[in-house]
Amino acid sequence: MKKHLTILILLLFTLTGCNGRRELKEIENLLENDIEAAADMADSYNPYRKKQRAALCYYAKGMVNMASDNIAIATDNLTKALYLFTDTTCRNYALTQHNLGVLLLENGLYETAADYIRNSTANFSRLGEQESVSFNNYLLALSYLYRNGYSQAENLFDSLLNDSCLELPIRNECNLHLAKISFYRDSNVDGALLLADRYINNCTDGQPASGYSLKGQIFYSIFENDSALASLSTSVSMAGNNLKTLRVDYKCLRDLAIRMKNYNAAVGFSKEYEAINDSIYKRSLKEEITKKKLEYSNELAQYRISTVRKVLLIIVLAVALLLAISTVTWITRARLQRKSFYIAQNDNFIISRNQQNETGSLKQDMADASSQFRSTVSYQIVLEKQGQENGFTSSEREMIIHDLFLYFSNPIRIIKEECEKVNRNELVFLCCAAVGLGSDTVSDLLCTSVSNVRSIKSRLKAKLNATLLQRDLSAVLA
């Protein structure tokens, strides 16, 4: 119950910094009444949304699993939370690293646990949380001890004995671990017993079962059977639910009973040892954690592969679309070029023919040009538009004016030779007048008013040579 309460307090403290998001507030409320419902709610978030909210939800679920002793699932959820955090400098990220280190340390993955603990220590140090830094150093020392790195573990435990940032019971634990180092590495029985007694005498928050257990092992190793039996029996009576200590005690008591030829007692101790051993290792947590880590790694790999495939597909589609647009553009441009080429060829043919048929008389050339223009599509468009309310389109105007200048090329050349000041609009008016088009049609072609067409006619008369006007164009400009 105390463990669950501690986890919930830590979790509620974590969720307090979630910017008041509604979903996390609901999880916080559920944690007080229904832990499993809170865990299920955390599962509803997309695991690949790299946002603080999703990360905190997985962190919440991981802490719930820790409280329920679902070690492998807790490791999986905390690993996902670590991946999802966008802010790797926040306290929640450091807490996730720390808790992963604790889980892995308790279940035999010492090197990986040490990596997580070092990283969280760096984050806690940056945040100025010296108490957390000191506790992480204690965990790091344990990882060295469990891997038989006695020198590194001894240096850390020695430095932590007088660390005021570390709680007194944990500092006292350093005495016990130093006793183990003295016994395991140096076979220093006296030094180990002295440190074990110091640990037992300084215990203030509970029964010192671990100290008596270590003393029993030491006495057993030097064949002081009665002292070993007394210490181990004391340890068993104080251990309570500390299964790891009881497991060591019953194994040592079994071996001690065999040595003392008390075989009935040895059988009883052996049964107790096997029961506790089965309870602790009924399944290989180390293998399960490793399997979960592999599953999650594969899950991330598949997600990354899927993402890469989507990106590649988008790139291929974009390239294909670009190629299609380029092809259509090239074909359209080629068609326009061919069309322009054939139009130019046709224009050159008409101009050449007009030059060959030139009579030398402006009046006759104007009449011939008018006759030829009336046979064109442009003239048919003019006839169709007459009497309709809607005027010419821009493309129709462009085509009609183009054909006027094409078929009247000879008269226009002669007029320009005689009078260079004649402009484009005046020439268009002159050609239209020769064909017999009214002022309304001319104004539509030139996009101007009828009154302005009359002004163009007046200016044209003033510019043209009086003789030329009287001789050849008097009928046109009447």
Side-chain angles (χ1 to χ4, degrees):
M1 183 63 186
K2 182 179 179 181
K3 180 180 178 181
H4 283 248
L5 183 60
T6 304
I7 295 295
L8 290 177
I9 292 173
L10 178 61
L11 184 53
L12 291 175
F13 176 79
T14 301
L15 293 176
T16 304
C18 296
N19 300 324
R21 292 186 181 275
R22 179 177 57 82
E23 296 89 343
L24 293 177
K25 187 64 177 177
E26 291 177 6
I27 294 177
E28 179 182 344
N29 293 334
L30 283 173
L31 282 170
E32 298 178 359
N33 304 309
D34 192 343
I35 293 177
E36 293 302 323
D40 292 339
M41 185 174 180
D43 257 346
S44 65
Y45 294 99
N46 183 351
Y48 297 115
R49 287 176 57 193
K50 291 187 177 182
K51 293 186 178 180
Q52 204 81 350
R53 180 181 65 178
L56 288 170
C57 286
Y58 272 109
Y59 177 75
K61 183 170 175 58
M63 297 302 292
V64 170
N65 296 137
M66 284 182 67
S68 304
D69 291 325
N70 296 323
I71 305 303
I73 301 175
T75 304
D76 181 52
N77 284 316
L78 290 176
T79 303
K80 289 179 179 178
L82 202 65
Y83 172 75
L84 289 166
F85 272 111
T86 54
D87 183 6
T88 57
T89 63
C90 68
R91 186 173 188 273
N92 293 321
Y93 186 79
L95 284 172
T96 306
Q97 292 176 314
H98 168 80
N99 286 304
L100 269 172
V102 171
L103 284 174
L104 297 175
L105 184 65
E106 290 178 350
N107 291 279
L109 298 172
Y110 304 126
E111 292 186 13
T112 308
D115 292 336
Y116 281 118
I117 292 168
R118 288 192 196 94
N119 292 332
S120 70
T121 300
N123 286 328
F124 282 134
S125 179
R126 183 172 58 253
L127 294 169
E129 298 192 15
Q130 190 56 44
E131 292 182 0
S132 299
V133 171
S134 298
F135 184 64
N136 271 7
N137 287 332
Y138 171 75
L139 296 176
L140 192 60
L142 285 180
S143 72
Y144 288 131
L145 175 61
Y146 296 153
R147 286 182 287 163
N148 299 327
Y150 296 125
S151 297
Q152 294 166 300
E154 184 178 30
N155 292 333
L156 278 173
F157 284 130
D158 278 334
S159 65
L160 292 171
L161 281 172
N162 299 314
D163 190 340
S164 60
C165 294
L166 204 61
E167 294 180 357
L168 185 59
I170 298 177
R171 277 188 278 166
N172 189 36
E173 291 282 341
C174 294
N175 287 314
L176 178 64
H177 299 310
L178 287 170
K180 293 177 182 177
I181 294 172
S182 183
F183 177 55
Y184 297 154
R185 183 189 63 184
D186 304 328
S187 300
N188 183 357
V189 173
D190 292 336
L193 287 173
L194 179 63
L195 289 168
D197 285 333
R198 184 183 300 171
Y199 166 75
I200 292 170
N201 294 331
N202 290 334
C203 279
T204 58
D205 64 337
Q207 300 296 334
S210 298
Y212 285 108
S213 178
L214 181 60
K215 287 184 67 175
Q217 296 171 57
I218 294 171
F219 286 132
Y220 174 81
S221 69
I222 59 176
F223 295 92
E224 292 188 12
N225 298 335
D226 292 337
S227 297
L229 179 60
S231 296
L232 291 171
S233 299
T234 303
S235 177
V236 168
S237 65
M238 293 181 174
N241 293 323
N242 191 340
L243 298 182
K244 292 184 178 180
T245 299
L246 287 173
R247 175 178 175 272
V248 174
D249 290 344
Y250 281 119
K251 181 178 182 298
C252 198
L253 283 168
R254 179 197 63 188
D255 296 339
L256 181 61
I258 292 173
R259 177 189 290 177
M260 298 174 69
K261 298 182 180 181
N262 187 352
Y263 299 115
N264 289 331
V267 171
F269 291 140
S270 180
K271 289 180 179 179
E272 293 289 347
Y273 166 72
E274 289 175 0
I276 293 174
N277 197 48
D278 290 341
S279 177
I280 295 176
Y281 296 105
K282 59 184 176 181
R283 58 182 179 179
S284 175
L285 289 177
K286 183 176 180 178
E287 290 180 3
E288 189 174 351
I289 291 173
T290 303
K291 179 181 177 182
K292 281 289 182 181
K293 289 178 67 178
L294 290 174
E295 287 177 357
Y296 182 60
S297 298
N298 291 335
E299 189 178 344
L300 290 180
Q302 291 298 322
Y303 170 70
R304 293 190 182 105
I305 291 171
S306 175
T307 303
V308 169
R309 286 176 178 173
K310 290 178 181 178
V311 171
L312 289 176
L313 179 61
I314 292 172
I315 292 173
V316 169
L317 291 176
V319 171
L321 181 61
L322 182 62
L323 288 175
I325 293 173
S326 301
T327 303
V328 170
T329 304
W330 181 82
I331 292 173
T332 303
R333 183 178 297 175
R335 287 178 177 175
L336 291 174
Q337 288 176 347
R338 285 197 298 271
K339 182 179 179 181
S340 299
F341 172 76
Y342 288 122
I343 290 174
Q345 289 289 94
N346 182 66
D347 290 352
N348 291 333
F349 171 76
I350 293 174
I351 292 172
S352 176
R353 185 189 64 184
N354 290 343
Q355 289 176 351
Q356 292 175 1
N357 296 332
E358 187 176 356
T359 62
S361 169
L362 179 58
K363 184 176 182 180
Q364 184 60 42
D365 288 342
M366 290 287 285
D368 292 341
S370 298
S371 176
Q372 292 177 21
F373 179 77
R374 291 188 182 97
S375 65
T376 64
V377 175
S378 296
Y379 186 68
Q380 296 299 320
I381 293 174
V382 172
L383 295 179
E384 290 175 1
K385 291 292 182 178
Q386 288 180 348
Q388 296 182 6
E389 293 183 359
N390 55 322
F392 299 112
T393 64
S394 59
S395 59
E396 289 172 343
R397 290 189 186 95
E398 183 179 353
M399 184 177 69
I400 293 168
I401 293 173
H402 172 270
D403 286 350
L404 284 171
F405 279 95
L406 177 64
Y407 287 97
F408 283 86
S409 58
N410 282 343
I412 288 173
R413 178 176 52 81
I414 295 171
I415 292 171
K416 283 188 174 181
E417 288 175 356
E418 294 292 334
C419 183
E420 297 179 355
K421 295 182 179 181
V422 177
N423 61 33
R424 175 181 175 277
N425 286 352
E426 293 166 348
L427 290 172
V428 170
F429 169 79
L430 184 60
C431 295
C432 289
V435 176
L437 302 180
S439 298
D440 292 339
T441 303
V442 176
S443 65
D444 193 0
L445 280 175
L446 296 179
C447 297
T448 186
S449 62
V450 175
S451 61
N452 197 29
V453 171
R454 288 195 291 268
S455 299
I456 292 172
K457 179 179 179 180
S458 300
R459 288 195 300 270
L460 180 61
K461 285 181 178 181
K463 290 179 182 179
L464 290 176
N465 182 282
T467 305
L468 185 62
L469 176 61
Q470 182 180 3
R471 184 185 64 200
D472 296 321
L473 300 177
S474 59
V476 175
L477 296 174

